Amino acid sequence: AYKSPPAHSMDPVTSNIECVTELRSPEGVRVLLLGTAHISRKSVVDAQRLVRETQPQIVFVELCSSRVGMLRVAVDEPMAHREVTTGDLQAAMRRGGVSAVAQLLLSDYTVRAAKHIKLEITPGSEFAAAAQEGIKYGAKIYLGDREVGVTLRRAWAALTLWERVKVFYSLLRMDFGDLDEEMLEKLKTTDLLTEMFQELGKELPNLIEPLLNERDRYLAYRLRMCCAMLANAAPDPRATTIVAVVGMGHVKGLVAQFARPVDEADMHAIAQLPPPRPRGTVSVLLVLAVIGTGSFAAWRYLKR
């Protein structure tokens, strides 16, 4: 079985950048895996520097086609944030159902966190920084994550009806007003969404598999595909480099999965939407969503 090399590289180019893990694919392609905090300016600087100093052939980012617009973020401009309204939630429900509402709330959560911590960056700017820097040197940009809609639908399907109510309640009540300075500093060095998923997973363990474990396997699979593609096009695969930028919460799982043989059947299964639920269940969930939307609007009003 293929075994990856030790996690920490002694390469002088990367030794002064924190959270870099060096891997080698079975074909010999060098992979520099950078773990980031999505609301950290330091992660943005690290991503730019790693790409600039290694000039890889491919920059691999933890994004999917639905989030490709994040690559066009102006990383040096202040973060723009507009409060999510009841109309936004209703539009999301019409457009993509409960999973679209959850995606909107998760995005709002991350941006509000960055705003409260007084960071003048857009969450996820490290992906844009790495891609924009890579393009300067002719690198190809590779989207490595599973479609966010598939992830949220699979997570939703894994929960019981009562657990779904708890998830909506948790998303709606999140606030940052009670965080002290020590906690705020910690948030700047963590993968915020992964931390949140792990906390939810303590009460709702069924969430961990679709939100984290499946995505670790999918990211590793896509990274291995990327390595094989690059190796096939290169005279000497060992002279090629991929810089992969992912949230630090995925690094451990991705490294473990990267070293294992690919399970094609598993990859096909986790890329699929879950089967639809009976009509009666959907009706109940729509009622809950309407209640949740009203609660969210009232909560926002009272917070002003």
Side-chain angles (χ1 to χ4, degrees), residues 230-264:
L230 183 56
N232 288 337
D236 180 10
R238 297 192 65 83
T240 60
T241 299
I242 295 173
V243 167
V245 183
V246 303
M248 63 179 66
H250 287 290
V251 170
K252 183 178 179 181
L254 198 160
V255 169
Q257 293 297 328
F258 189 83
R260 295 172 184 165
V262 172
D263 184 340
E264 295 285 353

Side-chain angles (χ1 to χ4, degrees), residues 2 4 7 21 23 33-35 60 62 191 194 198 208-209 211-224 244 246-261 266-267 270:
Y2 169 68
S4 61
T21 302
L23 305 169
L33 181 64
L34 175 65
F60 177 102
E62 183 204 329
D191 181 351
T194 300
Q198 290 172 342
I208 294 297
E209 182 65 16
L211 290 179
L212 295 179
N213 297 343
E214 287 184 358
R215 288 177 61 219
D216 286 346
R217 300 201 298 276
Y218 191 87
L219 285 163
Y221 170 69
R222 296 277 290 179
L223 187 54
R224 288 280 293 268
V246 303
M248 63 179 66
H250 287 290
V251 170
K252 183 178 179 181
L254 198 160
V255 169
Q257 293 297 328
F258 189 83
R260 295 172 184 165
D266 179 56
M267 289 303 104
I270 67 175

Side-chain angles (χ1 to χ4, degrees), residues 9 24 29 76 89 128 137 148 150 215 218 251 262 266 296:
S9 169
R24 285 279 178 181
V29 175
D76 294 324
L89 292 171
Y137 304 105
V148 65
V150 173
R215 288 177 61 219
Y218 191 87
V251 170
V262 172
D266 179 56
F296 179 81

